[in-house]
Amino acid sequence: MEPVCHVGVSAVQRLKELDLTPTALHKGLAGGSAEARLCTEMDAPGMAGYAFWSRSNRALREHLAREGWTFSNSQSILRCIHPSEAFAITAVSGSGSVGDENADFSGSVRTKNPKGPAMAKLVQRNHEQLSLFSLVQNHGQEEPEVNDLPTWFLLYKSSKDGLTFELSLPVEMHGKNVDTWRERIILSDNPFLGAEFDIKRLDEVPNAAPVEVPVKFKGAL
C-alpha cells in the first residue's frame, strides 16, 4: 500500500470509514487547549505541554465513549479504542510540518518528544499490519492484545499561528522519534488557527537561571 494523504472531502470520508468525525478530533484538541490555557509561569516548566497531552486524550475519550469506544493506559500510552477493537488512537505532540498536506511521508512530520521501547514496538506492529483494513476484515481470530492494535496518532503542534493537527498512521521511527507515516488525514477546517487559539509553545521549558541558596552550617554534623 502506497502512502496516501487525505485532504478536504477525502479526509472527512476517511474519518467516516474509521467511525470518526471532525467534531470528535476538534473536541479532543479543544479540551487539551482549554487545560493548557490554565497554566501560568507559576506552574512547573513544561506543565502546559503535559496538561494538553493528558486532557486532549481525556476529552477525545469522553466524546467517543458515547459511541461505545473504550480506552487503555497500558505502557503509559493513552489509547482510545474502537468498539470493534480493531484499532486505537492516541493524541501526541508533534513537530515539523504537522497539518501540511505537502509534507512528505518520511522525516517532515515527527513526534516532538523522544519515545521509548513501548512506542517503538507499537510502530513496528503498525508496519507489520500494513493497513487498518487487513485487521478490520480479519474476523474469527482471537481478541487482540491492546498493545498489538494498530494505533493512529492525533498529532498536534502549537505555534504563534495557533494549533495545527492531523490524524496519521505511523509505520517507522528513526532514533527516538516517530517520523514515517502510511496515511495522513488533514482536515481543511481548522478552528484552532489565529490569535484566539494562540497557545504558548507546548513542551517548551523556559531557560530559567538557577537559584543559589547560601547555606551555613553551625557546629559539627
Side-chain angles (χ1 to χ4, degrees), residues 147-206:
N147 294 315
D148 290 333
L149 295 180
T151 300
W152 292 71
F153 286 8
L154 176 55
L155 293 164
Y156 55 84
K157 177 187 174 183
S158 178
S159 72
K160 60 185 174 79
D161 298 318
L163 197 73
T164 54
F165 67 95
E166 61 184 73
L167 182 67
S168 297
L169 185 66
V171 289
E172 285 186 50
M173 61 187 295
H174 297 90
K176 296 289 186 180
N177 292 302
V178 182
D179 63 356
T180 306
W181 316 89
R182 182 59 52 85
E183 281 192 72
R184 301 175 64 219
I185 302 173
I186 301 173
L187 295 171
S188 300
D189 179 22
N190 183 351
F192 305 109
L193 294 178
E196 183 179 354
F197 281 89
D198 185 8
I199 307 169
K200 291 181 179 179
R201 291 173 183 265
L202 303 178
D203 305 318
E204 209 166 72
V205 179

XYZ file of all heavy atoms in Angstrom, residues 147-206:
495
model
N -1.850 -3.885 23.138
C -0.567 -3.392 22.638
C -0.254 -3.882 21.229
O 0.767 -3.501 20.658
C 0.553 -3.780 23.601
C 0.420 -3.088 24.938
O 0.165 -1.886 24.996
N 0.559 -3.833 26.021
N -1.115 -4.749 20.679
C -0.942 -5.205 19.308
C -1.840 -4.464 18.328
O -1.754 -4.668 17.123
C -1.241 -6.711 19.206
C -0.178 -7.558 19.890
O 0.973 -7.100 19.972
O -0.506 -8.674 20.324
N -2.711 -3.606 18.840
C -3.651 -2.908 17.972
C -2.944 -1.851 17.115
O -2.088 -1.110 17.611
C -4.731 -2.210 18.804
C -5.679 -3.090 19.608
C -6.675 -2.217 20.359
C -6.395 -4.077 18.709
N -3.289 -1.764 15.830
C -2.808 -0.629 15.039
C -3.248 0.662 15.713
O -4.413 0.785 16.118
C -3.514 -0.819 13.687
C -3.868 -2.262 13.636
C -4.161 -2.661 15.049
N -2.345 1.600 15.869
C -2.653 2.823 16.614
C -2.347 4.062 15.783
O -1.219 4.251 15.323
C -1.867 2.869 17.929
O -2.220 1.729 18.725
C -2.181 4.134 18.717
N -3.369 4.871 15.591
C -3.242 6.141 14.884
C -2.812 7.217 15.866
O -3.151 7.172 17.043
C -4.572 6.551 14.259
C -5.038 5.675 13.133
C -5.499 4.394 13.227
C -5.096 6.032 11.746
N -5.837 3.932 11.978
C -5.613 4.909 11.059
C -4.780 7.186 11.040
C -5.810 4.916 9.677
C -4.983 7.191 9.668
C -5.481 6.066 8.991
N -2.080 8.211 15.373
C -1.651 9.356 16.182
C -2.451 10.592 15.791
O -2.482 10.967 14.611
C -0.169 9.659 15.972
C 0.780 8.692 16.623
C 0.331 7.518 17.218
C 2.140 8.951 16.623
C 1.206 6.627 17.807
C 3.027 8.071 17.205
C 2.566 6.905 17.803
N -3.098 11.211 16.777
C -3.672 12.540 16.579
C -2.556 13.519 16.940
O -2.342 13.850 18.102
C -4.896 12.746 17.459
C -5.538 14.140 17.422
C -5.890 14.560 15.999
C -6.768 14.195 18.315
N -1.822 13.928 15.918
C -0.664 14.807 16.114
C -1.122 16.259 16.199
O -1.969 16.701 15.414
C 0.316 14.668 14.950
C 1.048 13.327 14.809
C 1.656 13.215 13.427
C 2.125 13.199 15.883
N -0.557 17.006 17.132
C -0.871 18.425 17.256
C 0.420 19.210 17.467
O 1.384 18.726 18.044
C -1.839 18.676 18.420
C -1.367 18.138 19.749
C -0.497 18.876 20.557
C -1.772 16.877 20.204
C -0.056 18.385 21.782
C -1.325 16.385 21.416
C -0.467 17.130 22.191
O -0.018 16.639 23.397
N 0.407 20.428 16.969
C 1.582 21.299 17.098
C 1.128 22.722 17.347
O 0.307 23.268 16.602
C 2.435 21.240 15.826
C 3.642 22.185 15.862
C 4.353 22.214 14.527
C 5.462 23.261 14.523
N 6.128 23.355 13.184
N 1.661 23.338 18.392
C 1.330 24.713 18.722
C 2.418 25.658 18.215
O 3.609 25.355 18.274
C 1.193 24.863 20.240
O 0.909 26.205 20.572
N 1.993 26.796 17.687
C 2.935 27.822 17.232
C 2.285 29.180 17.403
O 1.160 29.293 17.890
C 3.299 27.602 15.761
O 2.204 27.933 14.929
N 2.960 30.217 16.992
C 2.413 31.572 17.113
C 1.167 31.752 16.241
O 0.384 32.673 16.444
C 3.467 32.609 16.729
C 3.989 32.502 15.327
C 5.123 33.494 15.103
C 5.769 33.323 13.738
N 5.048 33.907 12.656
N 0.966 30.855 15.277
C -0.196 30.945 14.402
C -1.405 30.190 14.936
O -2.496 30.299 14.384
C 0.147 30.405 13.008
C 1.252 31.208 12.345
O 1.215 32.451 12.463
O 2.144 30.604 11.731
N -1.210 29.427 16.008
C -2.296 28.634 16.555
C -1.924 27.169 16.626
O -0.768 26.820 16.823
N -2.899 26.303 16.398
C -2.692 24.871 16.535
C -2.951 24.186 15.201
O -3.988 24.390 14.583
C -3.657 24.318 17.591
C -3.348 22.955 18.174
C -2.156 23.025 19.124
C -4.563 22.417 18.913
N -1.980 23.384 14.749
C -2.186 22.556 13.563
C -2.260 21.103 14.010
O -1.703 20.736 15.044
C -1.060 22.741 12.538
O 0.206 22.511 13.172
C -1.084 24.152 11.965
N -2.947 20.270 13.238
C -3.099 18.881 13.647
C -3.377 17.981 12.444
O -3.730 18.458 11.354
C -4.232 18.745 14.668
C -5.604 19.032 14.127
C -6.428 18.002 13.677
C -6.090 20.336 14.059
C -7.685 18.260 13.167
C -7.356 20.605 13.560
C -8.157 19.565 13.114
N -3.230 16.693 12.648
C -3.580 15.690 11.652
C -3.734 14.348 12.350
O -3.190 14.143 13.442
C -2.517 15.583 10.558
C -1.142 15.164 11.064
C -0.095 15.171 9.944
O 0.308 16.279 9.516
O 0.289 14.062 9.508
N -4.494 13.451 11.747
C -4.621 12.082 12.252
C -3.846 11.196 11.288
O -4.191 11.120 10.102
C -6.090 11.661 12.307
C -6.343 10.258 12.872
C -5.993 10.186 14.352
C -7.790 9.831 12.642
N -2.795 10.539 11.787
C -1.894 9.810 10.900
C -1.500 8.459 11.480
O -1.464 8.279 12.696
C -0.647 10.651 10.610
O -1.003 11.847 9.931
N -1.203 7.523 10.576
C -0.837 6.168 10.963
C 0.671 5.990 10.838
O 1.216 5.961 9.729
C -1.560 5.152 10.074
C -1.377 3.679 10.437
C -2.027 3.372 11.788
C -1.979 2.781 9.359
N 1.382 5.864 11.978
C 2.845 5.759 11.945
C 3.302 4.340 11.615
O 2.682 3.361 12.043
C 3.244 6.141 13.370
C 2.089 5.683 14.207
C 0.862 5.875 13.359
N 4.402 4.235 10.854
C 4.915 2.919 10.500
C 6.420 2.765 10.722
O 6.943 1.662 10.627
C 4.572 2.565 9.037
C 3.089 2.280 8.881
C 5.013 3.657 8.075
N 7.115 3.859 11.023
C 8.554 3.749 11.295
C 8.990 4.878 12.221
O 8.372 5.942 12.267
C 9.384 3.835 10.004
C 9.368 2.605 9.134
C 10.337 2.736 7.963
O 11.510 3.092 8.192
O 9.908 2.481 6.818
N 10.076 4.628 12.938
C 10.727 5.685 13.698
C 12.228 5.563 13.524
O 12.769 4.456 13.387
C 10.318 5.648 15.173
C 10.638 4.409 15.933
S 9.930 4.406 17.620
C 10.813 5.774 18.406
N 12.890 6.686 13.486
C 14.340 6.729 13.364
C 14.894 7.424 14.595
O 14.484 8.533 14.916
C 14.760 7.452 12.085
C 14.309 6.753 10.835
N 13.095 7.006 10.241
C 14.904 5.781 10.097
C 12.965 6.233 9.163
N 14.042 5.478 9.065
N 15.807 6.749 15.281
C 16.252 7.269 16.564
C 15.120 7.171 17.557
O 14.458 6.147 17.679
N 14.834 8.259 18.248
C 13.790 8.268 19.267
C 12.494 8.903 18.790
O 11.553 9.052 19.557
C 14.293 9.023 20.506
C 15.474 8.364 21.212
C 15.060 7.087 21.916
C 16.192 6.508 22.732
N 15.792 5.257 23.433
N 12.436 9.296 17.524
C 11.258 9.992 17.026
C 10.505 9.184 15.976
O 11.113 8.610 15.069
C 11.647 11.346 16.417
C 12.145 12.317 17.466
O 11.432 12.628 18.410
N 13.363 12.784 17.314
N 9.184 9.147 16.121
C 8.342 8.555 15.088
C 8.268 9.556 13.944
O 7.894 10.712 14.153
C 6.927 8.257 15.634
C 6.083 7.589 14.564
C 7.014 7.380 16.887
N 8.602 9.123 12.724
C 8.715 10.118 11.650
C 8.304 9.607 10.269
O 8.535 10.286 9.268
C 10.150 10.653 11.580
C 11.174 9.580 11.231
O 10.786 8.397 11.120
O 12.354 9.921 11.063
N 7.692 8.426 10.194
C 7.290 7.890 8.899
C 5.851 7.399 8.997
O 5.491 6.712 9.951
C 8.214 6.741 8.467
O 9.576 7.184 8.503
C 7.884 6.277 7.049
N 5.033 7.736 7.959
C 3.586 7.553 8.054
C 3.047 6.848 6.826
O 3.481 7.092 5.699
C 2.915 8.923 8.211
C 3.648 9.773 9.195
C 4.691 10.635 8.933
C 3.472 9.785 10.613
N 5.153 11.197 10.101
C 4.429 10.688 11.158
C 2.598 9.134 11.482
C 4.535 10.956 12.511
C 2.689 9.391 12.836
C 3.648 10.293 13.339
N 2.056 5.971 7.031
C 1.412 5.283 5.917
C 0.213 6.078 5.406
O -0.049 6.140 4.220
C 0.961 3.886 6.363
C 0.319 3.047 5.260
C 1.245 2.825 4.065
N 2.528 2.303 4.456
C 2.796 1.007 4.654
N 1.852 0.121 4.494
N 4.012 0.624 4.982
N -0.533 6.671 6.335
C -1.675 7.507 5.964
C -1.659 8.780 6.784
O -1.299 8.761 7.958
C -3.007 6.792 6.218
C -3.408 5.783 5.190
C -4.863 5.350 5.372
O -5.779 6.150 5.080
O -5.072 4.204 5.803
N -2.089 9.889 6.151
C -2.246 11.151 6.854
C -3.624 11.719 6.505
O -3.996 11.759 5.339
C -1.157 12.153 6.467
C 0.259 11.670 6.743
C 1.304 12.649 6.216
N 1.222 13.923 6.898
C 1.378 15.105 6.281
N 1.563 15.158 4.967
N 1.299 16.220 6.975
N -4.370 12.129 7.527
C -5.701 12.700 7.338
C -5.657 14.143 7.826
O -5.439 14.398 9.016
C -6.765 11.904 8.115
C -6.757 10.433 7.675
C -8.144 12.520 7.909
C -7.668 9.548 8.508
N -5.864 15.082 6.909
C -5.738 16.507 7.238
C -7.034 17.219 6.881
O -7.444 17.259 5.715
C -4.557 17.141 6.475
C -3.253 16.429 6.843
C -4.464 18.630 6.776
C -2.058 16.856 6.020
N -7.688 17.758 7.887
C -8.948 18.458 7.677
C -8.706 19.887 7.194
O -7.829 20.586 7.711
C -9.753 18.480 8.977
C -10.220 17.114 9.487
C -10.818 17.251 10.885
C -11.225 16.487 8.531
N -9.485 20.314 6.220
C -9.359 21.685 5.711
C -9.872 22.696 6.728
O -9.376 23.824 6.813
C -10.140 21.821 4.399
O -9.643 20.931 3.428
N -10.869 22.286 7.503
C -11.458 23.179 8.508
C -10.662 23.053 9.803
O -10.702 22.023 10.463
C -12.916 22.802 8.740
C -13.584 23.677 9.796
O -13.088 24.793 10.030
O -14.586 23.227 10.387
N -9.935 24.111 10.155
C -9.155 24.118 11.392
C -9.579 25.313 12.248
O -9.182 26.448 11.985
C -7.662 24.205 11.095
C -6.811 24.132 12.351
O -7.323 24.184 13.479
N -5.511 24.013 12.185
N -10.385 25.065 13.291
C -10.879 26.175 14.116
C -9.847 26.698 15.110
O -10.137 27.639 15.850
C -12.054 25.535 14.865
C -11.662 24.105 15.001
C -10.922 23.765 13.739
N -8.653 26.113 15.114
C -7.664 26.476 16.129
C -6.583 27.423 15.619
O -5.590 27.659 16.296
C -7.002 25.212 16.692
C -7.982 24.214 17.222
C -8.206 23.025 16.550
C -8.700 24.464 18.377
C -9.120 22.101 17.028
C -9.610 23.549 18.861
C -9.825 22.370 18.184
N -6.752 27.946 14.418
C -5.775 28.891 13.888
C -6.167 30.316 14.255
O -7.340 30.621 14.428
C -5.673 28.758 12.369
C -5.100 27.436 11.845
C -5.096 27.435 10.321
C -3.693 27.205 12.383
N -5.177 31.171 14.367
C -5.450 32.560 14.695
C -5.147 32.874 16.151
O -4.907 31.994 16.964
N -5.176 34.162 16.475
C -4.795 34.623 17.817
C -5.670 34.018 18.910
O -5.233 33.833 20.038
C -4.856 36.148 17.879
N -6.930 33.699 18.586
C -7.847 33.186 19.592
C -7.333 31.883 20.212
O -7.584 31.594 21.366
C -9.221 32.944 18.964
C -10.274 32.483 19.963
C -11.632 32.274 19.325
O -11.783 32.600 18.138
O -12.543 31.802 20.023
N -6.596 31.096 19.424
C -6.076 29.830 19.919
C -4.553 29.844 19.967
O -3.897 28.831 19.809
C -6.558 28.667 19.050
C -7.955 28.248 19.362
C -9.017 28.838 18.717
C -8.200 27.282 20.307
C -10.319 28.471 19.005
C -9.498 26.899 20.596
C -10.563 27.498 19.943
N -3.983 31.024 20.163
C -2.527 31.150 20.224
C -2.043 30.712 21.606
O -1.994 31.487 22.543
C -2.117 32.596 19.942
C -0.602 32.752 19.871
O 0.087 31.725 19.893
O -0.133 33.894 19.804
N -1.682 29.438 21.729
C -1.202 28.889 23.000
C 0.316 28.996 23.023
O 0.969 28.876 21.986
C -1.611 27.413 23.132
C -3.107 27.261 22.908
C -1.228 26.845 24.478
C -3.550 25.825 22.748
N 0.874 29.202 24.192
C 2.329 29.198 24.304
C 2.860 27.866 23.798
O 2.232 26.824 23.971
C 2.752 29.402 25.764
C 2.452 30.792 26.304
C 2.937 30.906 27.736
C 2.655 32.297 28.283
N 3.100 32.435 29.693
N 4.018 27.901 23.190
C 4.577 26.677 22.615
C 4.607 25.565 23.657
O 5.178 25.716 24.732
C 5.979 26.937 22.076
C 5.968 27.827 20.841
C 7.386 28.189 20.446
N 7.375 29.096 19.308
C 7.493 28.713 18.049
N 7.619 27.442 17.767
N 7.490 29.587 17.071
N 3.989 24.450 23.299
C 3.866 23.348 24.241
C 5.192 22.615 24.410
O 6.016 22.556 23.499
C 2.802 22.366 23.742
C 1.417 22.978 23.520
C 0.469 21.918 22.987
C 0.871 23.563 24.800
N 5.379 22.042 25.586
C 6.552 21.229 25.917
C 7.844 22.042 25.970
O 8.925 21.481 26.018
C 6.747 20.084 24.913
C 5.512 19.239 24.789
O 4.897 18.947 25.819
O 5.161 18.874 23.665
N 7.738 23.351 25.905
C 8.935 24.176 25.914
C 9.296 24.517 27.354
O 8.482 25.027 28.120
C 8.686 25.459 25.125
C 9.925 26.022 24.480
C 9.580 27.076 23.447
O 9.169 28.172 23.866
O 9.707 26.815 22.240
N 10.513 24.250 27.737
C 10.960 24.523 29.098
C 11.714 25.841 29.107
O 12.714 26.004 28.394
C 11.878 23.401 29.623
C 12.358 23.721 31.022
C 11.145 22.071 29.597
N 11.259 26.819 29.878
C 11.931 28.118 29.915
C 13.372 28.001 30.405
O 13.694 27.135 31.218
C 11.085 28.926 30.907
C 9.812 28.190 31.060
C 10.107 26.762 30.773
